[in-house]
mmCIF file of all heavy atoms in Angstrom:
data_model
loop_
_atom_site.group_PDB
_atom_site.id
_atom_site.type_symbol
_atom_site.label_atom_id
_atom_site.label_comp_id
_atom_site.label_asym_id
_atom_site.label_seq_id
_atom_site.Cartn_x
_atom_site.Cartn_y
_atom_site.Cartn_z
ATOM 1 N N THR A 172 -36.637 10.418 -13.628
ATOM 2 C CA THR A 172 -36.983 10.069 -15.014
ATOM 3 C C THR A 172 -38.489 10.259 -15.190
ATOM 4 O O THR A 172 -39.247 10.282 -14.202
ATOM 5 C CB THR A 172 -36.564 8.639 -15.345
ATOM 6 O OG1 THR A 172 -37.104 7.739 -14.357
ATOM 7 C CG2 THR A 172 -35.051 8.503 -15.349
ATOM 8 N N LEU A 173 -38.960 10.392 -16.424
ATOM 9 C CA LEU A 173 -40.309 10.929 -16.621
ATOM 10 C C LEU A 173 -41.420 10.177 -15.915
ATOM 11 O O LEU A 173 -42.306 10.785 -15.335
ATOM 12 C CB LEU A 173 -40.615 11.029 -18.124
ATOM 13 C CG LEU A 173 -39.858 12.150 -18.847
ATOM 14 C CD1 LEU A 173 -40.225 12.175 -20.328
ATOM 15 C CD2 LEU A 173 -40.132 13.517 -18.207
ATOM 16 N N GLY A 174 -41.391 8.852 -15.964
ATOM 17 C CA GLY A 174 -42.463 8.078 -15.298
ATOM 18 C C GLY A 174 -42.441 8.294 -13.805
ATOM 19 O O GLY A 174 -43.478 8.535 -13.168
ATOM 20 N N ALA A 175 -41.264 8.209 -13.203
ATOM 21 C CA ALA A 175 -41.120 8.388 -11.749
ATOM 22 C C ALA A 175 -41.364 9.845 -11.366
ATOM 23 O O ALA A 175 -41.955 10.124 -10.318
ATOM 24 C CB ALA A 175 -39.730 7.946 -11.301
ATOM 25 N N LEU A 176 -40.950 10.766 -12.240
ATOM 26 C CA LEU A 176 -41.140 12.197 -11.962
ATOM 27 C C LEU A 176 -42.624 12.544 -11.968
ATOM 28 O O LEU A 176 -43.093 13.374 -11.171
ATOM 29 C CB LEU A 176 -40.364 13.030 -12.992
ATOM 30 C CG LEU A 176 -40.348 14.548 -12.786
ATOM 31 C CD1 LEU A 176 -39.839 14.937 -11.416
ATOM 32 C CD2 LEU A 176 -39.504 15.225 -13.865
ATOM 33 N N ALA A 177 -43.372 11.879 -12.849
ATOM 34 C CA ALA A 177 -44.822 12.114 -12.889
ATOM 35 C C ALA A 177 -45.450 11.723 -11.552
ATOM 36 O O ALA A 177 -46.473 12.268 -11.159
ATOM 37 C CB ALA A 177 -45.456 11.321 -14.036
ATOM 38 N N CYS A 178 -44.842 10.794 -10.858
ATOM 39 C CA CYS A 178 -45.351 10.335 -9.556
ATOM 40 C C CYS A 178 -44.855 11.189 -8.400
ATOM 41 O O CYS A 178 -45.249 10.991 -7.258
ATOM 42 C CB CYS A 178 -44.947 8.874 -9.308
ATOM 43 S SG CYS A 178 -45.590 7.722 -10.543
ATOM 44 N N THR A 179 -43.906 12.077 -8.678
ATOM 45 C CA THR A 179 -43.300 12.948 -7.660
ATOM 46 C C THR A 179 -44.117 14.219 -7.509
ATOM 47 O O THR A 179 -44.615 14.764 -8.509
ATOM 48 C CB THR A 179 -41.837 13.261 -8.091
ATOM 49 O OG1 THR A 179 -41.092 12.042 -8.063
ATOM 50 C CG2 THR A 179 -41.173 14.286 -7.182
ATOM 51 N N GLY A 180 -44.266 14.703 -6.285
ATOM 52 C CA GLY A 180 -45.127 15.872 -6.058
ATOM 53 C C GLY A 180 -44.446 17.201 -6.282
ATOM 54 O O GLY A 180 -45.059 18.153 -6.778
ATOM 55 N N ASN A 181 -43.172 17.316 -5.940
ATOM 56 C CA ASN A 181 -42.467 18.590 -5.875
ATOM 57 C C ASN A 181 -42.493 19.391 -7.181
ATOM 58 O O ASN A 181 -42.043 18.912 -8.230
ATOM 59 C CB ASN A 181 -41.021 18.296 -5.459
ATOM 60 C CG ASN A 181 -40.194 19.548 -5.286
ATOM 61 O OD1 ASN A 181 -39.834 20.199 -6.253
ATOM 62 N ND2 ASN A 181 -39.925 19.895 -4.049
ATOM 63 N N ALA A 182 -43.019 20.619 -7.113
ATOM 64 C CA ALA A 182 -43.245 21.433 -8.314
ATOM 65 C C ALA A 182 -41.936 21.827 -9.012
ATOM 66 O O ALA A 182 -41.892 21.853 -10.247
ATOM 67 C CB ALA A 182 -44.041 22.688 -7.954
ATOM 68 N N GLN A 183 -40.889 22.112 -8.255
ATOM 69 C CA GLN A 183 -39.629 22.505 -8.898
ATOM 70 C C GLN A 183 -39.076 21.343 -9.717
ATOM 71 O O GLN A 183 -38.643 21.514 -10.839
ATOM 72 C CB GLN A 183 -38.586 22.932 -7.847
ATOM 73 C CG GLN A 183 -37.311 23.453 -8.465
ATOM 74 C CD GLN A 183 -36.024 23.019 -7.743
ATOM 75 O OE1 GLN A 183 -36.084 22.288 -6.757
ATOM 76 N NE2 GLN A 183 -34.887 23.464 -8.219
ATOM 77 N N LYS A 184 -39.106 20.156 -9.121
ATOM 78 C CA LYS A 184 -38.608 18.968 -9.829
ATOM 79 C C LYS A 184 -39.490 18.676 -11.054
ATOM 80 O O LYS A 184 -38.987 18.392 -12.125
ATOM 81 C CB LYS A 184 -38.617 17.734 -8.894
ATOM 82 C CG LYS A 184 -37.780 17.896 -7.638
ATOM 83 C CD LYS A 184 -36.322 17.662 -7.886
ATOM 84 C CE LYS A 184 -35.487 17.624 -6.620
ATOM 85 N NZ LYS A 184 -35.243 18.968 -6.042
ATOM 86 N N ARG A 185 -40.806 18.769 -10.876
ATOM 87 C CA ARG A 185 -41.728 18.501 -11.982
ATOM 88 C C ARG A 185 -41.497 19.488 -13.117
ATOM 89 O O ARG A 185 -41.585 19.154 -14.286
ATOM 90 C CB ARG A 185 -43.176 18.564 -11.499
ATOM 91 C CG ARG A 185 -43.533 17.469 -10.538
ATOM 92 C CD ARG A 185 -44.944 17.648 -9.991
ATOM 93 N NE ARG A 185 -45.959 17.533 -11.026
ATOM 94 C CZ ARG A 185 -46.481 16.385 -11.452
ATOM 95 N NH1 ARG A 185 -46.086 15.262 -10.899
ATOM 96 N NH2 ARG A 185 -47.379 16.356 -12.396
ATOM 97 N N GLY A 186 -41.183 20.721 -12.747
ATOM 98 C CA GLY A 186 -40.989 21.785 -13.726
ATOM 99 C C GLY A 186 -39.850 21.488 -14.680
ATOM 100 O O GLY A 186 -39.812 21.978 -15.807
ATOM 101 N N GLY A 187 -38.900 20.685 -14.243
ATOM 102 C CA GLY A 187 -37.764 20.352 -15.094
ATOM 103 C C GLY A 187 -38.105 19.371 -16.204
ATOM 104 O O GLY A 187 -37.290 19.118 -17.076
ATOM 105 N N ALA A 188 -39.311 18.808 -16.181
ATOM 106 C CA ALA A 188 -39.649 17.736 -17.125
ATOM 107 C C ALA A 188 -39.702 18.241 -18.568
ATOM 108 O O ALA A 188 -39.251 17.554 -19.488
ATOM 109 C CB ALA A 188 -40.985 17.109 -16.751
#
Side-chain angles (χ1 to χ4, degrees):
T172 53
L173 288 180
L176 185 55
C178 299
T179 294
N181 183 287
Q183 185 219 2
K184 302 279 188 284
R185 293 174 65 84

